[in-house]
């Protein structure tokens, strides 16, 4: 079955440093979505990427979708303590519900 | 809108007991999903419904699990009999058009502990 892998599993940064998480799918995706889950909370939808090579920005967050539509990345510039949480990518093949990656837990040291 | 509403928020039960988790999706959303989250296995899809019809239940662990969606505003996930390995956070999510435009909206989850 489809698998979605994310690296790293965990990252601890100093406030103001940048952060990147990478997502790889075993199959070609029709789209990829990103979610954020705060500690003790539930996943919250951030964004969807559909086109090959697409890049989208939300303030300090930059999302990319690979040319082959099998990988994606999320980059946060100048992290803040409010960025703490687990970031999940979720792949859509168009045939099933979203398959979530294993997530990257981000800890930001003030 | 109140969002996706799940109940109960927490459930502690003894092994062998029946557990029923409830979900009210966002009005107008036609897709509903049940996910289970554990440290070991992450977020796993259990079942999803589209227009109240189960489309994919391949993630349901075994016959002890069952899910229903009798109408567009209510769904249940039942575990009978429950086992300690069922301990997890169970999320319900809903979306328009299988989430292909606006993503999934998750409820706050039910934290289930089976002792």
């Amino acid at each position: 079955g489809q698998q979605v892998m994310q690296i790293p599993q965990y990252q601890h940064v100093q406030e103001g440093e940048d952060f990147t998480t990478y997502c790889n799918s075993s199959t070609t995706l029709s789209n990829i979505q990103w979610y954020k889950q705060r500690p003790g909370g539930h996943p919250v939808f951030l964004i969807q990427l559909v086109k090959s090579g697409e890049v989208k920005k939300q303030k300090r967050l930059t999302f990319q979708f690979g040319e082959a539509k099998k990988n994606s990345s999320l980059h946060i510039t100048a992290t803040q303590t409010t960025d703490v949480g687990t970031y999940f990518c979720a792949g859509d093949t168009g045939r099933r519900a979203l398959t979530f990656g294993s997530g990257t837990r981000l800890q930001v040291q003030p | 809108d109140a969002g996706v509403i799940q109940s109960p928020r927490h459930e502690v039960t003894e092994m062998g007991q029946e557990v029923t988790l409830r979900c009210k999706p966002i009005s107008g959303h036609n897709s509903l999903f049940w996910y289970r989250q554990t440290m070991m296995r992450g977020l796993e899809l259990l079942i999803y419904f589209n227009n109240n019809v189960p489309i994919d239940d391949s993630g349901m662990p075994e016959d002890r699990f069952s899910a229903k969606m009798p109408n567009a505003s209510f769904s249940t996930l039942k575990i009978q009999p429950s086992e300690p390995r069922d301990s997890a956070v169970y999320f319900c999510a809903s979306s328009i058009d299988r989430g292909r435009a606006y993503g999934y909206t998750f409820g706050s989850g039910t934290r289930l502990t089976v002792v």
Side-chain angles (χ1 to χ4, degrees):
Chain A
Q2 181 198 9
Q3 291 189 350
V4 179
M5 312 298 286
Q6 264 185 272
I7 55 169
Q9 278 190 303
Y10 172 76
Q11 187 143 15
H12 187 147
V13 300
Q14 293 288 322
E15 190 172 21
E17 292 182 337
D18 292 357
F19 160 77
T20 304
T21 173
Y22 300 91
C23 178
N24 286 285
S25 170
S26 59
T27 57
T28 302
L29 302 171
S30 58
N31 71 75
I32 194 158
Q33 301 181 11
W34 285 90
Y35 291 76
K36 176 183 178 181
Q37 183 176 22
R38 294 182 186 275
H42 56 276
V44 174
F45 175 73
L46 294 177
I47 206 162
Q48 175 180 261
L49 303 169
V50 178
K51 298 176 184 175
S52 170
E54 188 170 15
V55 178
K56 286 188 176 180
K57 292 191 175 185
Q58 287 181 347
K59 298 183 180 177
R60 295 177 295 103
L61 277 61
T62 301
F63 304 84
Q64 293 190 335
F65 200 9
E67 294 290 339
K69 301 185 75 173
K70 295 181 74 172
N71 56 73
S72 182
S73 65
L74 158 59
H75 179 82
I76 302 178
T77 303
T79 54
Q80 300 175 358
T81 54
T82 53
D83 296 325
V84 165
T86 301
Y87 292 84
F88 292 95
C89 62
D92 185 353
T93 62
R95 291 190 295 274
R96 208 173 170 253
L98 291 177
T99 298
F100 281 78
S102 47
T104 296
R105 186 159 67 96
L106 172 64
Q107 185 64 33
V108 180
Q109 183 76 33
Chain B
D1 198 329
V4 176
I5 300 173
Q6 289 187 247
S7 64
R9 288 296 307 274
H10 302 273
E11 176 82 32
V12 180
T13 191
E14 290 186 347
M15 183 173 63
Q17 295 298 305
E18 177 179 297
V19 175
T20 299
L21 311 182
R22 297 173 176 79
C23 175
K24 177 180 170 54
I26 291 175
S27 176
H29 281 194
N30 61 348
S31 296
L32 183 138
F33 311 85
W34 284 99
Y35 280 84
R36 176 171 69 176
Q37 186 173 40
T38 60
M39 289 294 293
M40 290 297 295
R41 300 176 69 87
L43 270 165
E44 301 175 276
L45 175 71
L46 298 177
I47 186 170
Y48 96 88
F49 296 85
N50 198 52
N51 295 321
N52 312 339
V53 176
I55 302 299
D56 182 354
D57 65 355
S58 59
M60 296 286 263
E62 49 201 89
D63 291 346
R64 297 185 299 107
F65 285 68
S66 63
K68 293 182 180 179
M69 191 165 187
N71 56 61
S73 59
F74 185 64
S75 177
T76 58
L77 178 68
K78 186 177 292 187
I79 309 172
Q80 165 64 15
S82 57
E83 297 182 3
R85 60 188 168 129
D86 301 330
S87 297
V89 179
Y90 290 80
F91 287 107
C92 174
S94 70
S95 72
I96 298 172
D97 190 26
R98 306 188 189 198
R100 298 216 173 112
Y102 305 106
Y104 295 1
T105 302
F106 281 79
S108 298
T110 295
R111 182 173 294 277
L112 173 65
T113 304
V114 183
V115 297

